[in-house]
Amino acid sequence: EHPERHADQQGDPDPDRHQLQVLQRQPRQLATWSRRLHAPGIAEEYRVQAILELLARDASDKRILEERWRKVSTHDQAPPRVAAAAARHFMTHGNAALARDVLERALDADWAPQLVALYGELPPGMAEPERGVEARARIERGERWLLERSEDAQLLATLGRLCAQVELWGKARNFLEASLSFEPSRSAHL
């Protein structure tokens, strides 16, 4: 029950005193909200959401999207949700190299399985020889990561899928079998 409504209903003999009490509570409530708003997790989430909205708004125009991305600070490009959204938008426009760069930087900053899985995806309309060149560049980088993450099932599955895309069947099989030995997953099955 709200005391200010209760006081009004009872016909408080001193309405000015009541108003003063309400006003005195407001700064405390504002201070509480201010602390909450500036809490690191909340502020970060609002920033991430704002960037996602801006990228989505600009996604239909390749040039504007790339300009928007260049304006986003390196720190704000790193969260996995931001990097994943940007990479998907760039792949939609066929810019696999920029998508790869976005994902590599984000993974170097914060290893995230969903980004590793996305790293194995190439733009659907990408034709040869660009497709093979892009896949091989990703395989090369993935193999360097594998030196430090030899038991990462998602990385192994991603490398297996990339190898299959360029018809490196023996390597693809080895990577996929290794992935399944660490963690059975749908992504490791062709």
Side-chain angles (χ1 to χ4, degrees), residues 120-141:
E121 296 178 21
L122 297 174
M126 188 176 222
E128 291 297 340
E130 294 84 14
R131 186 173 192 79
V133 170
E134 182 62 31
R136 282 181 175 78
R138 291 179 186 217
I139 292 167
E140 184 179 314
R141 180 65 173 113

Side-chain angles (χ1 to χ4, degrees), residues 31-77:
T32 300
W33 280 108
S34 180
R35 281 191 305 276
R36 288 180 184 164
L37 181 60
H38 295 293
I42 292 174
E44 181 70 18
E45 179 57 28
Y46 282 126
R47 190 169 36 256
V48 165
Q49 195 57 45
I51 294 166
L52 292 173
E53 293 293 327
L54 290 170
L55 291 173
R57 186 187 73 192
D58 295 339
S60 62
D61 186 305
K62 179 181 178 178
R63 185 186 56 76
I64 292 173
L65 177 64
E66 289 175 9
E67 285 176 17
R68 168 71 60 201
W69 186 248
R70 282 192 295 275
K71 292 178 184 176
V72 176
S73 74
T74 303
H75 170 78
D76 289 337
Q77 290 177 357

